[in-house]
């Protein structure tokens, strides 16, 4: 009853932000957000046996953390700071767990609690500061590659790419914010952290799995821009927009997932854990 009461109060307190998060998750760039809470609950469910073993008395430090979260939330509202408001949900949930269950339970559930941050969009200004360099990167690499295509001369100006074909056709296309790669990057980061957390591997492999998602996502996004640009350059603009463009995005995401699985296969064959008896015999 205490847990249900506290959970109800937290939901009531952050109800507006919960609705706002759902609204954000309906956008393509943040559609992975719908998977974040169920994944956290699944992690807690998988650890249920271990959690019941360490379940102890709560700590009053949880009340301190909840009070601090409330103060941050109120200060952010008064000062009209947007981002700290949803972030305080994470510390509030941590405070509830600490108050009701104690430090050991909080430690075991710390990863799924912190994982909630991946579903909270940053401020618009910060988001633009992240996406713009990604747009510049995709435009730069795509320009270099498209210049290698037969009969094409390509130049870049910011995120705009101009082309001149030997047959006389010319035009320009832009790497839009939606094509910056932020969408695939966030989805791959969430996927990589999930896989690294659940896979029983050495720590260095888990770190490699978490880090490798970034170059894989960037590669797939650049490939998508190159293919889209090639369609426009060679007179197939109908394939560079609408449903074909969306299908291309799904294809490149599937390609990225395949590459990521290939990285896991390589890691499986790089590190072979020999039984202890075999190691002793070889010595």
């Amino acid at each position: 009853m205490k847990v249900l009461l506290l959970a109800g109060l937290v939901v009531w307190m952050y109800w507006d932000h919960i609705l706002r998060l759902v609204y954000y998750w309906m956008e393509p760039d943040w559609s992975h957000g719908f998977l974040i809470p169920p994944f956290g609950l699944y992690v807690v469910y998988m650890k249920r046996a271990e959690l019941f073993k360490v379940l102890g008395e709560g700590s009053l430090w949880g009340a301190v953390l909840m009070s601090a979260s409330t103060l941050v939330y109120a200060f952010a509202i008064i000062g009209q700071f947007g981002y700290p408001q949803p972030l305080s949900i994470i510390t509030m949930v941590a405070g509830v767990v600490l108050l009701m269950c104690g430090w050991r339970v909080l430690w075991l559930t710390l990863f799924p609690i912190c994982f909630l941050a991946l579903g909270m969009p940053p401020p618009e200004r910060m988001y633009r500061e992240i996406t713009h360099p990604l747009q510049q990167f995709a435009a730069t690499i795509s320009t270099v590659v498209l210049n290698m295509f037969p009969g094409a001369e390509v130049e870049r100006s910011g995120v705009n790419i101009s082309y001149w074909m030997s047959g006389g056709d010319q035009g320009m296309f832009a790497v839009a914010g939606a094509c910056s790669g932020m969408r695939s990057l966030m989805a791959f980061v969430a996927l990589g952290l999930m896989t690294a957390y659940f896979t029983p591997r050495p720590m260095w492999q888990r770190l490699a799995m978490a880090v490798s998602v970034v170059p894989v996502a960037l590669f797939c996004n650049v490939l998508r821009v190159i293919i889209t640009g090639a369609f426009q350059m060679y007179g197939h603009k109908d394939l560079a927009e609408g449903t074909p463009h969306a299908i291309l995005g799904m294809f490149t995401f599937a390609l990225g997932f395949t590459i990521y699985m290939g990285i896991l296969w390589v890691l499986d064959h790089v590190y072979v854990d020999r039984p202890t008896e075999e190691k002793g015999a070889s010595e």
Side-chain angles (χ1 to χ4, degrees), residues 183-201:
R183 181 187 310 175
S184 57
L185 181 59
M186 293 302 300
F188 267 108
V189 167
L191 174 66
L193 290 178
M194 291 181 197
T195 308
Y197 181 80
F198 277 116
T199 306
R201 297 173 180 269

Side-chain angles (χ1 to χ4, degrees), residues 114-138:
C114 295
F115 195 74
L116 294 173
L118 289 179
M120 298 181 180
E124 187 64 28
R125 179 178 178 181
M126 183 185 300
Y127 186 75
R128 289 197 301 268
E129 290 177 352
I130 296 174
T131 56
H132 188 68
L134 293 177
Q135 289 175 261
Q136 294 276 4
F137 175 81

Side-chain angles (χ1 to χ4, degrees), residues 20-278:
R20 190 175 301 174
L21 285 175
V22 172
Y23 173 78
Y24 271 113
W25 294 346
M26 291 181 179
E27 298 181 3
D29 285 1
W30 294 95
S31 57
H32 67 279
F34 285 108
L35 301 177
I36 302 298
F39 171 75
L41 294 174
Y42 178 73
V43 172
V44 174
Y45 175 78
M46 294 297 293
K47 287 181 171 287
R48 63 190 184 281
E50 190 175 357
L51 288 171
F52 280 123
K53 289 181 181 179
V54 302
L55 189 63
E57 295 184 357
S59 172
L60 290 178
W61 283 105
V64 175
L65 185 56
M66 292 174 63
S67 300
S69 302
T70 304
L71 290 175
V72 170
Y73 181 59
F75 177 77
I77 293 177
I78 295 173
Q80 297 184 350
F81 300 112
Y83 196 43
Q85 297 179 33
L87 283 182
S88 64
I89 299 176
I90 299 176
T91 54
M92 179 64 76
V93 172
V96 171
V97 174
L98 180 57
L99 177 64
M100 298 303 301
C101 305
W103 289 100
R104 299 182 68 182
V105 173
L106 177 62
W107 175 252
L108 290 175
T109 58
L110 190 60
F111 176 79
I113 292 175
C114 295
F115 195 74
L116 294 173
L118 289 179
M120 298 181 180
E124 187 64 28
R125 179 178 178 181
M126 183 185 300
Y127 186 75
R128 289 197 301 268
E129 290 177 352
I130 296 174
T131 56
H132 188 68
L134 293 177
Q135 289 175 261
Q136 294 276 4
F137 175 81
T140 300
I141 302 300
S142 300
T143 300
V144 173
V145 176
L146 290 174
N147 263 315
M148 300 178 184
F149 281 45
E153 181 180 347
V154 184
E155 290 184 359
R156 179 183 71 88
S157 177
V159 297
N160 299 312
I161 299 177
S162 303
Y163 61 88
W164 296 266
M165 307 301 294
S166 58
D169 293 336
Q170 62 181 16
M172 183 184 71
F173 62 92
V175 180
C179 296
S180 64
M182 190 67 178
R183 181 187 310 175
S184 57
L185 181 59
M186 293 302 300
F188 267 108
V189 167
L191 174 66
L193 290 178
M194 291 181 197
T195 308
Y197 181 80
F198 277 116
T199 306
R201 297 173 180 269
M203 182 56 68
W204 72 268
Q205 288 199 16
R206 294 190 178 193
L207 292 175
M209 291 164 60
V211 172
S212 63
V213 296
V214 176
V216 171
L218 294 179
F219 167 77
C220 292
N221 183 66
V222 170
L223 180 63
R224 181 185 182 185
V225 174
I226 292 173
I227 295 176
T228 301
F231 282 152
Q232 295 202 39
M233 290 164 53
Y234 290 99
H236 300 286
K237 294 184 179 181
D238 55 320
L239 299 178
E241 56 188 15
T243 301
H245 187 64
I247 294 175
L248 177 61
M250 296 172 60
F251 168 77
T252 52
F253 187 86
L255 175 62
F257 182 77
T258 303
I259 295 174
Y260 188 67
M261 290 298 103
I263 294 174
L264 300 187
W265 183 87
V266 172
L267 291 176
D268 285 335
H269 290 76
V270 167
Y271 179 84
V272 180
D273 188 13
R274 295 185 301 169
T276 306
E277 295 79 3
E278 183 180 344

